[in-house]
Amino acid sequence: RLVIMLKVGFVGWRGMVGSVLIERMLAEKDFDGSYSPYFFTTSNVGGKGPDVGIEAPPLMDAFNIKELAGMDIVLTCQGGDYTNEVHPKLRADGWSGFWIDAASALRMKENAIIVLDPVNRSKIDQGIKDGVKDYIGGNCTVSLMLMGLGGLFDKGWVEWMSSMTYQAASGAGAKNMR
């Protein structure tokens, strides 16, 4: 029996959001050998990737469309500028894999679904059935708020809500958070 391993490319895994994701995936034992992880970089091509408990090839070029096109899934925490530069080129090249992104760049695009599975799991599942390929993380404050209040919205007990954040501080990156 032939087993085909999904190739999952990780971009932006060293930054504030990406490092927390990798840490969480390690804690959950998500690097279990059920897929092949590939780590991409914008600054250290050929270097050694993170220790995730299984062998991974040397770091790949995050701007190399051909290398990215070899992935079944690209999971990026690299930021909106990266997404705006790479995503359209990858799609124009005919790539039909899944793009999972923490950045806001694609949130409002017609062919993307904002992912918050405790709140919209049925929409995510339907999107997969319908061939949607871009899944985008929501604003962190709104996501946390909806996880707490989503049920109240579903029941019609809350009509609207407004929130304000200091997201610009964390958007400057881990090195600027003190």
Side-chain angles (χ1 to χ4, degrees):
R1 187 173 100 157
L2 178 65
V3 176
I4 299 175
M5 298 282 281
L6 285 177
K7 294 180 180 180
V8 180
F10 293 86
V11 183
W13 50 273
R14 291 183 311 173
M16 193 162 94
V17 174
S19 63
V20 170
L21 173 68
I22 296 298
E23 183 180 297
R24 187 78 191 132
M25 291 179 73
L26 285 166
E28 293 291 327
K29 300 185 181 3
D30 290 333
F31 292 102
D32 60 1
S34 63
Y35 62 92
S36 298
Y38 295 81
F39 294 92
F40 288 79
T41 181
T42 60
S43 61
N44 189 22
V45 175
K48 185 165 173 44
D51 179 6
V52 294
I54 57 176
E55 194 64 35
L59 295 175
M60 301 168 79
D61 183 355
F63 291 101
N64 185 317
I65 300 303
K66 295 295 181 206
E67 287 182 348
L68 288 165
M71 301 296 113
D72 299 295
I73 300 169
V74 172
L75 193 158
T76 175
C77 302
Q78 187 65 33
D81 290 342
Y82 175 81
T83 296
N84 286 332
E85 180 174 342
V86 172
H87 181 267
K89 292 177 185 174
L90 195 54
R91 290 292 186 214
D93 196 50
W95 183 68
S96 61
F98 289 95
W99 180 271
I100 303 171
D101 200 336
S104 63
L106 302 177
R107 272 188 204 142
M108 302 308 290
K109 299 293 185 187
E110 190 70 29
N111 59 345
I113 292 178
I114 297 175
V115 175
L116 186 56
D117 66 335
V119 175
N120 69 338
R121 181 61 197 229
S122 62
K123 183 159 179 66
I124 296 165
D125 291 341
Q126 189 61 49
I128 291 170
K129 288 178 188 169
D130 293 344
V132 174
K133 298 293 187 170
D134 295 335
Y135 293 86
I136 314 305
N139 169 279
C140 54
T141 300
V142 173
S143 294
L144 289 170
M145 180 178 63
L146 283 175
M147 286 175 55
L149 301 173
L152 299 176
F153 280 100
D154 285 345
K155 293 187 180 296
W157 295 349
V158 174
E159 186 176 320
W160 65 271
M161 177 174 275
S162 176
S163 70
M164 283 134 253
T165 72
Y166 293 98
Q167 187 166 353
S170 65
K175 66 184 179 302
N176 293 301
M177 294 301 295
R178 300 182 212 279

